[in-house]
Amino acid sequence: MATRLARKLTSSSSLITISTADISSPLVNHGGSRLSWAFSSSSSSSSTATTSSNSSSSKREKKITDRLSAVIDAVNDRKLPPELRGQRNAVRSETNIINVVEQRIWHSMEEGQFENLPRKGKPLDLNTNPHADPAEDILYRILSKNGRAPEWVELNKEIRSKVSDWRIALKKAWTSKCNGHHEKWVECCEALKMQLREISDKVFRYNLIVPFGSQMFGLKWEKEVARLEE
């Protein structure tokens, strides 16, 4: 009797263990899948929000740049003659502007607008420069009355004179080299290179003080010697 009760108890406990394991495992797996789905959905929504914010910011920046470029185009367009305005896609070079100016001059000449100009046939008044800065114009007039010129004008004359003398000396030294006097050529080269550095310093000074557009290039030893070799 005792053995039968023990067998019944062990069999019932094994049934209970199996049933709880069978029930608990699908619940755990189902809950884990729900958690993983919730995490993946939250991460995908955050990435979507980030991409949408980046795209919206790039669109705003593009609109701002387009507006700025349109304003710049409009300002530059107003600077052009009426004949060349509104041609955004066309190439508007300096030649086109010069052609428009020449056409206007020819039309004015044909219409006789240059016939009865004031001071016609009389010498020009060069005492004042209407295109110069008033302060510079006064300074230039004072210099001209005293027989002087601006510093950059005097420096230009000095540089041109020194360059001419230096090239004559270089040509003489090259002739002596061609005649077989190699030692004299070496001595002359050292002196000529020192003079060339002095000229380059003056050119540098000149380019700093000269009005824009009137700068000059310095001399290069290799190019000057190559000119003599030709």
Side-chain angles (χ1 to χ4, degrees):
M1 189 69 180
T3 56
R4 290 179 181 176
L5 288 173
R7 287 177 181 175
K8 287 182 180 180
L9 288 171
T10 55
S11 61
S12 63
S13 63
S14 62
L15 288 172
I16 293 167
T17 304
I18 292 168
S19 61
T20 55
D22 293 338
I23 293 169
S24 61
S25 59
L27 287 174
V28 171
N29 292 332
H30 186 66
S33 63
R34 284 183 180 178
L35 289 173
S36 62
W37 177 80
F39 180 75
S40 62
S41 62
S42 63
S43 62
S44 62
S45 63
S46 63
S47 62
T48 305
T50 304
T51 54
S52 63
S53 63
N54 292 332
S55 62
S56 62
S57 62
S58 63
K59 287 180 180 179
R60 285 195 298 270
E61 291 177 357
K62 188 175 183 301
K63 287 182 179 179
I64 293 170
T65 53
D66 291 341
R67 288 179 181 177
L68 288 174
S69 62
V71 171
I72 293 170
D73 290 339
V75 171
N76 292 330
D77 203 45
R78 292 292 299 173
K79 296 179 181 179
L80 295 172
E83 293 86 346
L84 297 177
R85 292 177 186 173
Q87 302 176 10
R88 293 185 59 185
N89 297 325
V91 178
R92 297 173 297 195
S93 62
E94 186 177 356
T95 307
N96 294 334
I97 298 174
I98 292 173
N99 292 334
V100 171
V101 173
E102 289 180 351
Q103 289 176 3
R104 290 187 178 183
I105 292 172
W106 279 108
H107 289 316
S108 300
M109 291 174 64
E110 291 175 355
E111 294 174 359
Q113 296 183 9
F114 296 127
E115 293 296 329
N116 298 318
L117 294 176
R119 297 184 61 84
K120 182 181 179 180
K122 298 179 181 180
L124 296 174
D125 184 11
L126 300 178
N127 293 325
T128 59
N129 184 4
H131 304 290
D133 183 74
E136 293 182 355
D137 190 34
I138 294 171
L139 178 62
Y140 292 156
R141 277 189 286 170
I142 294 172
L143 290 172
S144 64
K145 286 180 179 179
N146 292 281
R148 301 295 300 274
E151 181 184 358
W152 60 271
V153 175
E154 298 291 343
L155 193 57
N156 185 296
K157 293 179 181 179
E158 183 182 356
I159 290 170
R160 292 184 183 279
S161 177
K162 286 184 176 294
V163 168
S164 178
D165 295 339
W166 183 85
R167 282 177 173 167
I168 291 171
L170 178 63
K171 191 174 182 179
K172 289 180 179 179
W174 181 260
T175 304
S176 64
K177 178 188 177 183
C178 295
N179 293 332
H181 303 288
H182 187 71
E183 295 179 356
K184 186 176 180 181
W185 163 252
V186 174
E187 293 177 0
C188 292
C189 284
E190 294 179 359
L192 289 169
K193 286 181 180 179
M194 289 181 63
Q195 294 175 9
L196 184 62
R197 284 193 289 270
E198 294 177 0
I199 294 172
S200 298
D201 294 339
K202 290 184 180 295
V203 171
F204 180 75
R205 169 65 181 166
Y206 171 80
N207 289 333
L208 290 176
I209 62 176
V210 73
F212 180 75
S214 301
Q215 284 76 14
M216 64 169 59
F217 292 102
L219 299 178
K220 290 187 178 181
W221 176 263
E222 294 80 6
K223 288 186 177 181
E224 296 297 324
V225 173
R227 287 175 59 187
L228 296 173
E229 291 177 351
E230 293 177 355

